[in-house]
Amino acid sequence: MKMFVSVILLIFHFVGHLSGQADDQYRNKNWNPKAGKYYFSTQITYSYHNDSAEDDYNRSGEISIYIDEKSGTFLFTKESYGNTGEMVDFVIADQQGNYIFGYTDEHGKKLRETLKSYKASDKNFQSKKVENDFNKYCQPTGNTKRFGENKYGWPVFKGTEYNINDMLSDSSTVFLTASKYSFLPVFLFNQLQSETKLPVNFDFSKKLPSKNLILKHSYVLDGSISSYTLISSSPTEYFIDLGGYRVLKK
C-alpha cells in the first residue's frame, strides 16, 4: 500500500513539474518586452468601500490588477482605474518605476508614452528608514486571517494584522503577507502625473517594506469607514502588444 501511494505521489509530482515547465515555456513565448509583447498570467481582485466618497464609482466596487509573476510587472486596465483615464487603454508598470501608458486619442490614433515614478535605487523607498518606520508605527495585533477564493485551486493567503499609528485617522489596520517582488508600482500609481487614478489608496510607499501584498486595509476617519479587501488571485491570460502604439512626441 505504501509503495502504491508513493508511486501516485511521484506521478503527481512529475505531472506537476511538466505542467510548470509548459507554463514557463508558454509565458516565455509570449513575453518579449523588447519587442513590445507582454503576457500576464495572474489577476488579483479587490473589493472596496468608502463611506465618504462623493460618487458611486469611488464609493464601492471591485478592481483588478494583472501581474507577470516572474518579473513583477503589473498591468492596469479600466478594470483598475475605471473611467478616470478616458483615453488610456492600459498602463504597464515594471520594477524599475517605468509606467508605459497606451492611449487611443479622439481621432482613433494609438499612442504610448513612458512616465517615471521612481528609480530602483531610490533611497526614499529602499532604505532602512522604511523598515524602521514600519516597525515603529505598525504594531502586530497577533491576529491572522485567510484571504482569497479557493476556486479550482486558486491561491489562499494567510495575512498578519497590524495596527497603524499614523495620526491621520481614528483607527487603521492592515493585513499583510510577504511577496517575492516589490509592490511599489501599485503603491505609487496615484502619484503619477496623470488623470488616471485607482479608486482606493494603496500608497504605503514610505510606511511599508515594498515586498508585501496588502490583503486588507481599513481605516476610520471622522466616523467614515474606508476599506479594501483582496477577493482572489486567479490564473488568467492577458496579452498586450505595443506594436500598434506609436511613441508620443511632445
Side-chain angles (χ1 to χ4, degrees):
M1 183 63 179
K2 289 184 178 179
M3 177 65 74
F4 176 74
V5 172
S6 298
V7 171
I8 292 296
L9 290 175
L10 182 61
I11 291 173
F12 273 114
H13 176 77
F14 181 68
V15 171
H17 179 68
L18 289 179
S19 176
Q21 284 187 328
D23 289 343
D24 287 345
Q25 290 175 357
Y26 186 73
R27 179 264 184 190
N28 294 337
K29 178 182 177 182
N30 292 282
W31 180 263
N32 189 357
K34 289 184 178 180
K37 296 184 183 298
Y38 294 82
Y39 167 69
F40 300 89
S41 59
T42 298
Q43 176 182 353
I44 56 173
T45 301
Y46 290 87
S47 63
Y48 66 90
H49 179 83
N50 184 354
D51 283 344
S52 60
E54 297 180 356
D55 58 84
D56 290 341
Y57 171 69
N58 287 290
R59 187 170 296 114
S60 63
E62 293 184 2
I63 66 170
S64 287
I65 300 170
Y66 297 88
I67 309 170
D68 171 57
E69 299 280 354
K70 287 207 168 218
S71 66
T73 302
F74 295 86
L75 170 68
F76 304 87
T77 69
K78 292 190 182 297
E79 295 173 272
S80 313
Y81 50 78
N83 294 320
T84 59
E86 186 176 353
M87 294 188 295
V88 180
D89 297 335
F90 56 82
V91 183
I92 298 171
D94 65 23
Q95 291 285 296
Q96 286 70 49
N98 300 301
Y99 294 76
I100 303 173
F101 278 71
Y103 305 102
T104 300
D105 69 13
E106 64 271 23
H107 305 294
K109 293 182 179 179
K110 293 187 178 297
L111 305 166
R112 61 183 166 94
E113 69 172 338
T114 301
L115 302 182
K116 188 80 174 180
S117 178
Y118 65 94
K119 295 180 180 179
S121 60
D122 195 324
K123 293 181 180 180
N124 286 327
F125 308 119
Q126 305 299 329
S127 70
K128 280 286 184 181
K129 185 178 185 305
V130 175
E131 185 175 345
N132 290 338
D133 285 350
F134 173 73
N135 292 330
K136 182 178 179 180
Y137 296 111
C138 298
Q139 301 300 318
T141 66
N143 296 328
T144 60
K145 186 177 179 181
R146 293 191 177 275
F147 294 84
E149 295 180 359
N150 188 18
K151 292 182 178 179
Y152 317 111
W154 294 357
V156 175
F157 303 93
K158 181 180 179 181
T160 301
E161 185 182 40
Y162 295 84
N163 280 327
I164 305 172
N165 302 312
D166 57 8
M167 307 297 291
L168 300 176
S169 58
D170 300 330
S171 66
S172 181
T173 60
V174 63
F175 280 88
L176 304 173
T177 191
S179 168
K180 61 185 179 182
Y181 45 81
S182 169
F183 269 79
L184 273 179
V186 179
F187 293 171
L188 297 173
F189 187 90
N190 281 7
Q191 292 188 18
L192 295 169
Q193 296 299 311
S194 167
E195 295 179 355
T196 308
K197 303 295 180 185
L198 303 176
V200 296
N201 180 23
F202 282 101
D203 189 6
F204 279 81
S205 58
K206 295 182 180 179
K207 300 177 184 176
L208 177 64
S210 64
K211 289 188 176 181
N212 277 282
L213 169 62
I214 299 175
L215 299 172
K216 181 177 182 178
H217 178 219
S218 59
Y219 63 94
V220 180
L221 179 62
D222 296 331
S224 294
I225 301 173
S226 298
S227 67
Y228 52 87
T229 305
L230 183 114
I231 299 174
S232 63
S233 174
S234 58
T236 189
E237 290 190 348
Y238 205 116
F239 302 88
I240 294 289
D241 188 347
L242 298 181
Y245 291 80
R246 291 191 296 107
V247 175
L248 178 63
K249 295 181 179 180
K250 295 183 179 181

